[in-house]
Amino acid sequence: MSLNVARPIVIIVEGKTDELLLASLLAHLQVSERVCVTQGRNASGKAAISKTLLQSVVSDYALYERPLQALGIVTDSDADPTETFRHYRAVFQHAGLTPPVAAGAVSRGSPRTGVLALPPGGPGELEDILWDYYQDRVPDVARCIDQARATVEAADPPARAKRSKILLHSALVYGLNRAPTVRPLRSPEQTFQEAFWDWSHPAFSPLSQFLADLLG
């Protein structure tokens, strides 16, 4: 975890894709100077964001005598979005912080706190909202990819677990490349600065609203 204590709002995410997506969205919203986005550490999944991590964020700001205005968590909904929210709400409570009362909502405590699980209402993961955007942006290509996915899954059912990343990798190659030459496969976070991504699109509205609420 790395903090910029000059930025009074902290959002903790689970991975690099989440971190870079939020960085691009913050730049679009022109609020980058107020928000520090950082990853959980020394673990994966829900174990990466613990009460100890939240307490260390609060302690770092207190150490440097900086006012921490808000502390948020952006996470995958996983199999059960309700349970995911309950888990992180308990993490806030155990860290001695005012917990949010509902998923996507921001508490009025000091600091303000919030948990946004993606996609809202789940189940799923961050890549689901990227895929929703892609389906709207280039629907013809999306249909081709869906058909290819169905063929693969029929032959190899375990491939379903890899659906989102395979789809996004394929989608980005065909969606971003309009030239006759073929680009190598790239992961989503390698493309977030491309013009293909329109951060004002409704697919990203839950994230934008969550950020606006954290900003206060």
Side-chain angles (χ1 to χ4, degrees), residues 11 21-22 25 29 73-74 77 103-106 115-121 126 129 132 199-214:
I11 300 177
L21 185 154
L22 276 169
L25 179 58
L29 296 172
I73 295 173
V74 173
S77 287
V106 173
V115 176
L116 177 64
L118 297 171
L126 174 76
I129 67 169
D132 288 344
W199 302 111
S200 62
H201 188 276
F204 305 112
S205 293
L207 265 174
S208 297
Q209 185 59 57
F210 184 66
L211 288 170
D213 292 343
L214 283 175

Side-chain angles (χ1 to χ4, degrees), residues 53-86:
L53 179 60
L54 300 192
Q55 288 170 334
S56 72
V57 172
V58 175
S59 296
D60 282 352
Y61 276 78
L63 176 65
Y64 290 96
E65 298 183 339
R66 302 280 189 173
L68 176 61
Q69 296 175 0
L71 179 55
I73 295 173
V74 173
T75 179
D76 292 338
S77 287
D78 294 328
D80 185 343
T82 301
E83 182 54 37
T84 295
F85 171 71
R86 286 175 181 165

Side-chain angles (χ1 to χ4, degrees), residues 40 42 57 62 87 99 102 111 182 187 205 213:
N42 300 329
V57 172
H87 169 83
V182 177
S187 57
S205 293
D213 292 343

Side-chain angles (χ1 to χ4, degrees), residues 47-158:
I49 305 175
S50 63
K51 75 168 187 177
T52 302
L53 179 60
L54 300 192
Q55 288 170 334
S56 72
V57 172
V58 175
S59 296
D60 282 352
Y61 276 78
L63 176 65
Y64 290 96
E65 298 183 339
R66 302 280 189 173
L68 176 61
Q69 296 175 0
L71 179 55
I73 295 173
V74 173
T75 179
D76 292 338
S77 287
D78 294 328
D80 185 343
T82 301
E83 182 54 37
T84 295
F85 171 71
R86 286 175 181 165
H87 169 83
Y88 287 114
R89 187 177 191 277
V91 170
F92 275 114
Q93 285 180 311
H94 295 155
L97 299 167
T98 302
V101 296
V106 173
S107 77
R108 294 295 102 187
S110 181
R112 297 185 295 274
T113 63
V115 176
L116 177 64
L118 297 171
E125 55 191 341
L126 174 76
E127 282 80 4
D128 285 288
I129 67 169
L130 299 180
W131 181 241
D132 288 344
Y133 173 82
Y134 193 83
Q135 286 180 301
D136 185 65
R137 187 73 183 266
V138 281
D140 291 343
V141 178
R143 280 192 292 271
C144 291
I145 294 172
D146 264 334
Q147 290 167 4
R149 182 201 69 188
T151 301
V152 171
E153 289 176 354
D156 182 16

Side-chain angles (χ1 to χ4, degrees), residues 13 27 34 39 52 55 64 76 78 110 133 142 165 172 176-178 194 201-203 212:
V13 297
R34 291 190 61 194
Q39 295 180 58
T52 302
Q55 288 170 334
Y64 290 96
D76 292 338
D78 294 328
S110 181
Y133 173 82
K165 289 185 179 180
L172 289 166
L176 290 171
N177 179 30
R178 301 302 184 186
E194 304 267 2
H201 188 276

